[in-house]
Amino acid sequence: MNTRMDVVLWGNDYSLHCEVFEEIKKKTIDLERIFSRFDSQAETFYVNQNAFKKELKVSSVLFKVIESCIEFKNLTEGYFDVCYQGRMNEDLTERNDLQLNNNTSGIRFLNDNIKLDFGAIGKGIALAHVRNILKLYGIENALVSFGESSVLTVGRHPFGEYWPFSFQSQNGINEELQLTNDCISISGLHNGMAHIKNPKTGQLCQSKRTVCVVTDDPISAEVLSTALIAAPIEKHSQILENFKVRKVLYNSFSA
Amino acid sequence: MKGNRRDFIKKTAIAGAGLALAASPFGRTFAALASDKKVRLAVIGTGSRGRYLMELLLAQKVNPNYELVAVCDNYGPSLNEAVALAKRYKINPKTYTDYSQLINQSPVDGVIIATPLHQHAHITIDCLNKGIHVLCEKAMARTLDDTKAMYDAHINSGSILLIGHQRLHSNQYINALERIHNGEIGVIGQMKAYWHRNHNWRRDVPDNQPDLERKINWRLYKEYSAGLLTELMSHQLQVANWAMKKYPVSVMATGSIQYYKDGREVPDNMAAIFSYDDGTQFIYDSMTINKAEGCEEHIIGDYATMKLESNNILREDPIKPEPAPGIAQLINDIQNGLFKSAPIGGSSWAAETAVSYNGEEIYKGQDGDGTREEIVHFIDYIQQKSSPEWMTKEGYYTSIWSLLTEKSIESGERITCPDKYLIG
Ligand SMILES: NC(=O)c1ccc[n+]([C@@H]2O[C@H](COP(=O)([O-])OP(=O)(O)OC[C@H]3O[C@@H](n4cnc5c(N)ncnc54)[C@H](O)[C@@H]3O)[C@@H](O)[C@H]2O)c1
């Protein structure tokens, strides 16, 4: 995922925490082996190479995620799109690119320039699995972050009732976030560089906006923060209606 | 797999230690003991390379223990320029137009031979047989038999024969190769090299003497040279063999005169794949119409890639990114018993960004491509009266495989090395 993972666990059971950490690490590495489009050993890489030629049976983990991505595309008016790579203009947005076969867990690309890219959702998928691991081990308080752009909180900070964050705006106004069992996802320019593409135009989103989404579900947090960068501002309320969101914050940098 | 790989590294680290000694050809203390007499040197072939080597000898005073006593060239203008160059350094070497006169009349301990390829073998062999040590420019000879004959003359005479692959003497390359042998880049999976130029490779021929075309542009004619193979590729094939600590078992190559249809006989572009006995491939190509990619050797392992010309190592798992500032602050606060909110998404926020990683420098402190050190070492070896045999072998097999590549291009077949050219 090309990013740093931070895990904060607190309490007295050090060896349990080590075990949980190892489990999380292993899980994220396993997921990378499914969802990476860069790793030639990864399932997604293989699918990208071969799914146009014939229908491929894929793992149930991958199949489920692809199914939900299609659903997310509808919920975001087309602004979240795992197949954005193949799009060049408006006409292609409505095109159906993926054919799923529920009986066989099969997938086939209907166009030859289609590539699945889970970059915008991968950290959310990982956090969803991490949350299950924490539950399984009975961990009541934790914080897990992927590169500070995707954060999962469980329970509370050791010295307070919640996990305290402040979402910075360059104008000096800090919005305090009191997180307990929450997920946040932040998207925008990275080091001043655009990286999210508008699937309807194929263009990089150059807006100086940064958006921070707080929800109870890590995957929809990721989907939303990406879609809200890709979509023009007037579409936001319409998109947000389709999700259960706790908070959405924006800032824009003049730099 | 991981376990095996570690074992491999341990093993190669041990194997590498032996080679590390052999790979650093310095013998200074030894040399001081050996002799106080000045080493008498001559340069045969004072064209562009010959004069460059002369200039290194004269200008840089590479070592106080030698003198340049004679120069030889059978082409008047080259000889005149060599004399003029020597004059600038206030020395007056004897001049010859025929190398056999030089070696019969001038007492010399060593010669540097920088004649065209087809003029290497007989001059080298005559010198070696007279007990004169030889530093001969690469590649060794125009034919396989001549290459073998040069090597045999070295063995039979006991005189030193060093081939001008200067990377063998560059501290940058010595350091990189030691590290490769010690397992730093892991198991070598593939090697890739290229030399791309944008030049027709022609030198000007005097207007009134068109008959000098073949003498001056010898690189372009099959009688004298194998073109890109012996003149450029040989350097990089030597590096690949050095990295592998072995020689290829086969080569498959192709080449053509695709662009410069000006009467030349050697390909202006070529590609070759050399295979080693463990399945490693060395993929090579050269062209003369575009220099964007330049000259490079990639030694590719499962831990890292070394790009030897640009002195760069790219690790597969580069240095970890700095801790994210917000979370780092939060952890710090917890450790200090504080409940403070952690900033996130601010102006310095740089989440998700892939670490931009352009690799690291392999070695600092090498000036030049090793040619200067090559001359220093040659003088040292003459004083010690011995040189590392593996270096001679490295030159030998590199030349053999460069010429076998030509056979592959000509026949369209995969070529192996005939037994008679194997020297063990
Ligand atoms: N190691 C390197 O990086 C490097 C670089 C350039 C050239 N070289 C090698 O140096 C050699 C010379 O190349 P160059 O570019 O200087 O060529 P060049 O044509 O400029 O020089 C060759 C000289 O040798 C002379 N010569 C030819 N036959 C002779 C003979 N029988 N006796 C005396 N002199 C003779 C020619 O008159 C000419 O002056 C080649 O083997 C080439 O591969 C090596």
Side-chain angles (χ1 to χ4, degrees):
Chain A
M1 266 172 282
N2 238 334
T3 192
R4 179 189 171 87
M5 176 178 78
D6 288 291
V7 179
V8 180
L9 302 169
W10 60 270
N12 295 325
D13 200 340
Y14 180 71
S15 66
L16 171 74
H17 292 162
C18 290
E19 202 181 324
V20 171
F21 179 76
E22 283 307 317
E23 199 58 30
I24 292 175
K25 203 166 100 184
K26 192 173 152 296
K27 189 74 200 172
T28 45
I29 291 169
D30 288 350
L31 290 170
E32 182 104 40
R33 272 285 146 103
I34 297 176
F35 291 103
S36 171
R37 69 187 170 100
F38 300 112
D39 178 354
S40 59
Q41 308 285 310
E43 190 177 4
T44 299
F45 184 94
Y46 181 79
V47 169
N48 279 341
Q49 306 293 313
N50 298 295
F52 178 60
K53 291 173 231 158
K54 56 174 194 285
E55 181 180 300
L56 298 178
K57 179 175 160 28
V58 299
S59 65
S60 63
V61 182
L62 181 59
F63 191 80
K64 267 200 215 128
V65 168
I66 295 172
E67 264 184 333
S68 58
C69 285
I70 293 174
E71 172 74 4
F72 283 130
K73 187 180 165 198
N74 294 331
L75 294 175
T76 59
E77 313 279 321
Y79 285 99
F80 173 86
D81 186 351
V82 269
C83 302
Y84 74 89
Q85 298 258 24
R87 316 242 186 261
M88 239 76 78
N89 58 53
E90 192 105 27
D91 303 345
L92 296 178
T93 314
E94 301 309 318
R95 192 177 69 182
N96 193 14
D97 284 317
L98 303 175
Q99 177 183 294
L100 297 189
N101 184 338
N102 283 310
N103 299 329
T104 58
S105 285
I107 171 167
R108 176 153 198 187
F109 294 165
L110 300 177
N111 294 293
D112 67 350
N113 59 352
I114 288 305
K115 295 270 177 284
L116 296 172
D117 179 351
F118 297 104
I121 196 182
K123 297 188 196 101
I125 297 168
L127 285 180
H129 284 271
V130 169
R131 192 160 61 180
N132 286 343
I133 293 171
L134 295 173
K135 213 179 260 167
L136 214 70
Y137 279 87
I139 300 291
E140 289 173 355
N141 303 296
L143 179 148
V144 181
S145 152
F146 285 106
E148 290 199 356
S149 68
S150 308
V151 180
L152 166 78
T153 57
V154 176
R156 63 178 182 86
H157 186 283
F159 307 116
E161 288 311 305
Y162 50 86
W163 291 98
F165 278 90
S166 57
F167 181 63
Q168 286 184 309
S169 81
Q170 208 183 30
N171 309 329
I173 303 156
N174 288 349
E175 179 94 23
E176 166 131 292
L177 297 169
Q178 303 185 353
L179 305 179
T180 50
N181 298 311
D182 292 290
C183 305
I184 54 181
S185 171
I186 304 176
S187 287
L189 300 186
H190 294 309
N191 287 334
M193 304 271 285
H195 73 126
I196 292 177
K197 273 192 179 172
N198 179 345
K200 308 215 176 197
T201 60
Q203 299 297 308
L204 283 168
C205 303
Q206 298 290 356
S207 141
K208 298 268 184 340
R209 205 163 56 226
T210 299
V211 56
C212 173
V213 177
V214 185
T215 70
D216 63 356
D217 167 46
I219 298 179
S220 40
E222 294 290 296
V223 166
L224 258 182
S225 74
T226 301
L228 295 180
I229 290 295
I233 197 93
E234 60 273 15
K235 299 256 182 200
H236 285 200
S237 56
Q238 201 179 326
I239 294 172
L240 284 166
E241 267 176 25
N242 297 331
F243 290 85
K244 226 174 84 203
V245 176
R246 292 196 177 151
K247 215 172 214 168
V248 179
L249 299 168
Y250 297 92
N251 66 20
S252 64
F253 297 126
S254 47
Chain B
M1 180 62 210
K2 288 273 176 216
N4 290 343
R5 199 194 269 165
R6 260 189 221 115
D7 277 357
F8 171 83
I9 288 174
K10 245 194 266 153
K11 273 188 212 132
T12 47
I14 294 162
L19 196 102
L21 281 179
S24 54
F26 303 92
R28 287 251 166 245
T29 39
F30 207 142
L33 290 176
S35 155
D36 284 337
K37 250 178 60 196
K38 282 196 171 179
V39 171
R40 294 159 302 179
L41 295 175
V43 174
I44 300 176
T46 57
S48 69
R49 183 70 179 173
R51 291 201 300 279
Y52 175 70
L53 295 166
M54 262 180 81
E55 183 119 34
L56 282 179
L57 280 171
L58 296 173
Q60 307 201 23
K61 263 291 169 211
V62 290
N63 168 327
N65 300 328
Y66 68 90
E67 55 191 333
L68 180 66
V69 297
V71 290
C72 166
D73 200 291
N74 65 8
Y75 179 53
S78 288
L79 193 58
N80 292 342
E81 287 202 42
V83 170
L85 175 66
K87 257 208 187 103
R88 285 210 291 282
Y89 292 96
K90 304 195 168 39
I91 67 153
N92 204 7
K94 288 214 167 69
T95 58
Y96 296 90
T97 52
D98 179 348
Y99 78 92
S100 52
Q101 282 179 0
L102 185 156
I103 59 177
N104 284 323
Q105 292 172 12
S106 271
V108 289
D109 303 303
V111 295
I112 297 177
I113 298 175
T115 51
L117 184 62
H118 72 298
Q119 295 287 319
H120 285 177
H122 60 287
I123 303 179
T124 300
I125 291 168
D126 288 351
C127 289
L128 293 173
N129 288 340
K130 260 193 122 27
I132 298 169
H133 304 297
V134 173
L135 165 56
C136 177
E137 264 308 338
K138 59 34 61 175
M140 274 172 83
R142 180 63 192 95
T143 67
L144 290 160
D145 286 337
D146 276 356
T147 306
K148 180 67 165 45
M150 279 171 81
Y151 180 77
D152 290 344
H154 151 70
I155 294 294
N156 296 335
S157 67
S159 307
I160 292 165
L161 174 59
L162 198 63
I163 305 303
H165 290 293
Q166 62 267 30
R167 286 164 186 76
L168 280 169
H169 305 270
S170 149
N171 292 322
Q172 179 184 316
Y173 272 80
I174 292 170
N175 176 274
L177 270 292
E178 265 177 25
R179 285 163 60 179
I180 290 171
H181 295 155
N182 285 337
E184 189 168 330
I185 66 165
V187 180
I188 296 177
Q190 194 181 75
M191 300 181 292
K192 195 164 71 181
Y194 42 85
W195 200 325
H196 292 186
R197 287 178 164 180
N198 185 346
H199 189 255
N200 65 11
W201 222 13
R202 288 199 154 275
R203 296 199 182 160
D204 290 342
V205 178
D207 282 345
N208 51 351
Q209 289 171 285
D211 50 318
L212 285 177
E213 160 67 11
R214 290 174 74 87
K215 174 154 178 72
I216 289 176
N217 285 311
W218 57 270
R219 282 175 177 75
L220 305 181
Y221 297 95
K222 286 204 158 181
E223 187 181 344
Y224 318 124
S225 170
L228 298 171
L229 309 180
T230 44
E231 306 311 319
L232 301 186
M233 182 188 79
S234 62
H235 281 303
Q236 295 166 295
L237 176 58
Q238 181 269 311
V239 172
N241 292 339
W242 191 10
M244 291 298 291
K245 292 202 276 187
K246 51 173 126 182
Y247 305 105
V249 291
S250 73
V251 59
M252 250 189 307
T254 182
S256 64
I257 302 169
Q258 182 265 346
Y259 189 86
Y260 296 110
K261 299 182 198 282
D262 57 1
R264 72 184 58 197
E265 296 165 3
V266 297
D268 60 11
N269 76 96
M270 53 77 51
I273 300 174
F274 298 86
S275 304
Y276 292 78
D277 64 357
D278 63 353
T280 306
Q281 318 288 354
F282 171 49
I283 302 163
Y284 186 82
D285 81 287
S286 184
M287 65 145 93
T288 43
I289 64 151
N290 185 303
K291 62 177 172 8
E293 300 221 304
C295 172
E296 190 59 89
E297 299 103 38
H298 303 243
I299 313 294
I300 307 169
D302 57 352
Y303 284 1
T305 297
M306 279 201 187
K307 293 204 266 178
L308 296 177
E309 294 286 338
S310 50
N311 193 22
N312 190 269
I313 174 167
L314 281 156
R315 298 182 201 279
E316 287 286 278
D317 294 319
I319 286 94
K320 297 279 179 292
E322 288 291 303
I327 305 290
Q329 183 180 321
L330 182 101
I331 293 168
N332 204 22
D333 289 342
I334 293 175
Q335 278 163 348
N336 292 320
L338 298 172
F339 181 60
K340 273 179 30 184
S341 63
I344 195 161
S347 55
S348 63
W349 178 67
E352 288 181 42
T353 323
V355 196
S356 96
Y357 174 67
N358 298 318
E360 301 144 51
E361 196 173 35
I362 299 175
Y363 183 79
K364 265 194 191 29
Q366 171 71 37
D367 288 330
D369 66 359
T371 305
R372 182 179 171 279
E373 288 82 354
E374 175 185 277
I375 298 177
V376 175
H377 297 157
F378 180 52
I379 295 167
D380 278 354
Y381 299 155
I382 293 177
Q383 291 190 308
Q384 294 168 25
K385 299 188 170 53
S386 91
S387 67
E389 195 52 37
W390 70 269
M391 270 192 196
T392 308
K393 223 166 118 177
E394 194 92 354
Y396 173 78
Y397 272 122
T398 298
S399 291
I400 292 287
W401 280 99
S402 299
L403 296 172
L404 291 173
T405 307
E406 185 182 35
K407 298 240 178 284
S408 179
I409 293 177
E410 284 169 356
S411 66
E413 280 169 14
R414 181 191 194 117
I415 300 288
T416 56
C417 183
D419 285 350
K420 63 176 172 173
Y421 301 121
L422 296 177
I423 56 168

